[in-house]
């Protein structure tokens, strides 16, 4: 296999440290968290105490000032182990960066240290019952008030970390006639009158991840709840989406490689007609094909990570990575389940849970069909 060259010995030492944290604080409990539909809130505090949240934030805001490779390692390790209920990635590498890049100094000092310590859990509310990948179609609205504040009304759904969330970045229309140019971002805190959390949603996979509905019933927001400039929310979203989509690609490759390794171990041991399943040509060739494709995906994703570090990762390339690796992830899981036979349909097997967890990867972060639209536009092809 091609040796990866992204990581230094310090990065690998961090990987070992995070693995020990998972062994102690996540592995013994994740199955129970899947049954209850959310991870225990205490995990966030423990992660903060150990420096595993918001690692890329500057030290003045409670982070470690670390490069993004530390977060890459965290994504890889969580998905390789199937600990998909743990929403550290969205909290640390989506919510916190929005505040860091677009927030005022007061907003940064108020929220970022609490996100880094685990005192606050962060979420971002984009999707609505009638608007998923089409962010221009959001109906949640924020109307200006005489005191300089806003009245926020609307609802969101499929919100990761939504049930635990203490702080939510909400995408809302501030100019109903402005289309994409009429969208703004707002910071909404737990406990604000009119901000209510709906039921935790029961999903095909990611069963330990708290995913919920959020309702904003005429929530009065102070003037300083606006994040970034008014009517420039869509621009902010577009600027941050390449990193968000790359995070999905990183997790897809890690989960795919882990599934192959689980399957190789299984087919070596499982016997059919007196010989191991792995001795049959169909099994060996199938796994050879899957490993080749995952190796190709790893090389491409690692190159994208390098481009991200150089601030050269464009939206089209990130979209390629997101759509291709998640399509591959679903293919790998399907083939690996098949090679497990009946046991591949049993929840106790890691490959079964990985199969269920994989399906949403082609949907969130922008559906793979949207990714193809983004790519074709970058190619100069006419669209609707």
């Amino acid at each position: 296999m091609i040796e990866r060259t992204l990581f230094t010995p310090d990065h690998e030492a961090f990987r070992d440290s995070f693995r020990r944290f998972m062994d102690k604080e996540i592995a013994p409990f994740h199955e129970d968290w899947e049954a209850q539909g959310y991870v225990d809130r205490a995990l966030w505090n423990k992660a903060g105490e150990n420096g595993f949240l918001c690692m890329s934030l500057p030290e003045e805001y409670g982070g470690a000032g670390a490069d993004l490779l530390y977060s890459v390692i965290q994504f890889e390790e969580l998905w390789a182990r199937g600990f998909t209920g743990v929403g550290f990635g969205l909290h640390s590498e989506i919510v916190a960066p929005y505040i860091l890049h677009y927030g005022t100094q007061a907003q940064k000092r108020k929220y970022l240290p609490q996100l880094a310590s685990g005192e606050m859990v962060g979420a971002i509310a984009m999707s609505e019952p009638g608007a998923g990948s089409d962010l221009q179609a959001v109906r949640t609205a924020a109307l200006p008030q005489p005191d300089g504040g806003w009245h926020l009304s609307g609802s969101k759904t499929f919100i990761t970390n939504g049930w635990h969330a203490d702080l939510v970045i909400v995408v809302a229309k501030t100019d109903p006639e402005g289309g994409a140019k009429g969208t703004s971002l707002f910071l909404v805190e737990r406990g604000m009158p009119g901000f209510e959390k709906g039921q935790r949603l029961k999903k095909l996979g990611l069963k330990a991840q708290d995913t919920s509905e959020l309702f904003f019933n005429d929530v009065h927001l102070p003037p300083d709840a606006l994040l970034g400039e008014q009517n420039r929310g869509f621009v902010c979203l577009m600027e941050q989406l390449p990193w968000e989509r790359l995070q999905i690609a990183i997790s897809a490759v890690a989960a795919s490689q882990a599934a192959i390794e689980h399957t190789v171990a299984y087919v070596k041991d499982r016997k059919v007609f007196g010989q191991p399943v792995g001795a049959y040509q169909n099994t060996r060739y199938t796994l050879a094909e899957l490993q080749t494709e995952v190796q190709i995906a790893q090389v491409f994703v690692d190159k994208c990570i390098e481009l991200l570090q150089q601030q050269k990762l464009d939206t089209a390339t990130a979209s390629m990575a997101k759509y291709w690796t998640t399509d591959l992830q679903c293919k790998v899981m399907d083939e690996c389940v098949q090679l497990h036979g009946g046991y591949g349909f049993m929840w106790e097997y890691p490959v079964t849970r990985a199969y269920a967890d994989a399906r949403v990867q082609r949907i969130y972060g922008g559906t793979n069909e949207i990714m193809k639209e983004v790519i074709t536009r970058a190619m100069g092809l006419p669209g609707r």
Side-chain angles (χ1 to χ4, degrees):
M1 303 300 171
I2 297 174
E3 182 181 358
R4 301 180 72 188
T5 58
L6 284 175
F7 306 113
T8 67
D10 285 345
H11 291 124
E12 296 302 342
F14 170 80
R15 190 187 298 272
D16 290 340
S17 176
F18 188 64
R19 284 174 174 171
R20 290 193 295 273
F21 177 82
M22 291 192 300
D23 289 341
K24 180 181 178 182
E25 304 294 352
I26 300 177
F29 314 109
H30 199 268
E31 185 175 348
D32 290 337
W33 294 341
E34 287 180 330
Q36 72 181 11
Y38 58 95
V39 304
D40 286 348
R41 180 64 177 80
L43 177 67
W44 291 90
N45 302 102
K46 292 175 182 177
E49 291 168 4
N50 285 274
F52 292 132
L53 298 178
C54 304
M55 296 174 292
S56 62
L57 283 180
E59 292 182 18
E60 64 179 301
Y61 300 122
D67 63 58
L68 291 177
L69 292 176
Y70 290 88
S71 294
V72 169
I73 289 169
Q74 199 173 70
F75 303 146
E76 290 180 345
E77 292 301 318
L78 287 169
W79 275 79
R81 294 282 293 274
F83 298 148
T84 54
V86 182
F88 292 170
L90 181 138
H91 170 97
S92 297
E93 291 300 341
I94 297 179
V95 176
Y98 270 95
I99 299 172
L100 178 66
H101 293 140
Y102 307 115
T104 64
Q105 194 60 239
Q107 288 170 334
K108 294 175 188 179
R109 296 198 180 283
K110 179 179 181 181
Y111 295 118
L112 293 181
Q114 294 187 75
L115 292 172
S117 68
E119 295 173 68
M120 276 188 157
V121 173
I124 186 164
M126 300 185 196
S127 297
E128 297 183 0
S133 295
D134 183 8
L135 296 176
Q136 300 183 60
V138 299
R139 294 183 178 274
T140 298
L143 302 178
Q145 300 301 302
D147 66 354
W150 308 81
H151 275 180
L152 179 69
S153 297
S155 63
K156 301 288 184 177
T157 193
F158 311 139
I159 307 305
T160 301
N161 295 346
W163 193 66
H164 273 319
D166 303 292
L167 178 68
V168 183
I169 298 174
V170 180
V171 179
K173 281 290 181 66
T174 42
D175 179 1
E177 306 301 321
K181 296 180 180 179
T183 304
S184 302
L185 306 179
F186 292 90
L187 295 166
V188 181
E189 296 183 45
R190 176 195 290 271
M192 286 182 167
F195 173 30
E196 299 177 3
K197 299 178 180 182
Q199 61 180 335
R200 293 190 305 279
L201 302 175
K202 296 182 179 180
K203 309 179 296 297
L204 169 66
L206 309 183
K207 292 184 179 296
Q209 183 189 97
D210 72 276
T211 309
S212 69
E213 301 169 315
L214 302 178
F215 300 97
F216 308 97
N217 302 311
D218 201 25
V219 180
H220 179 71
L221 300 175
D224 61 2
L226 178 67
L227 178 63
E229 297 180 31
Q230 182 178 338
N231 296 331
R232 284 186 57 81
F234 191 76
V235 174
C236 299
L237 293 169
M238 293 303 101
E239 289 176 350
Q240 298 304 313
L241 276 175
W243 176 214
E244 178 183 349
R245 288 169 178 165
L246 183 56
Q247 291 175 40
I248 297 171
I250 291 165
S251 63
V253 175
S256 298
Q257 184 60 51
I260 290 173
E261 292 169 5
H262 285 305
T263 304
V264 168
Y266 177 82
V267 299
K268 285 180 178 179
D269 182 64
R270 177 68 171 168
K271 291 186 177 181
V272 175
F273 301 120
Q275 62 179 328
V277 174
Y280 289 94
Q281 185 181 78
N282 177 72
T283 301
R284 293 184 289 112
Y285 283 13
T286 296
L287 287 169
E289 292 168 5
L290 295 179
Q291 184 62 81
T292 300
E293 292 183 69
V294 171
Q295 175 69 90
I296 293 167
Q298 185 70 79
V299 172
F300 179 46
V301 167
D302 283 358
K303 181 60 178 179
C304 288
I305 294 169
E306 290 180 0
L307 291 173
L308 180 75
Q309 291 181 294
Q310 299 164 9
Q311 299 184 337
K312 294 180 181 179
L313 181 65
D314 60 75
T315 300
T317 305
S319 299
M320 293 176 188
K322 190 270 180 184
Y323 113 73
W324 195 78
T325 58
T326 56
D327 274 5
L328 175 61
Q329 180 184 8
C330 288
K331 174 185 175 180
V332 169
M333 299 311 168
D334 186 65
E335 295 281 13
C336 288
V337 164
Q338 188 71 19
L339 290 173
H340 276 73
Y343 290 105
F345 206 64
M346 299 297 106
W347 193 252
E348 66 192 88
Y349 279 76
V351 73
T352 312
R353 297 195 293 275
Y355 177 91
D357 290 342
R359 188 57 184 87
V360 75
Q361 295 264 84
R362 293 163 60 190
I363 298 172
Y364 59 21
T367 65
N368 284 5
E369 290 73 22
I370 296 294
M371 297 302 97
K372 293 173 186 178
E373 282 290 334
V374 172
I375 295 163
T376 57
R377 290 174 187 176
M379 296 169 66
L381 295 172
R384 294 182 60 186

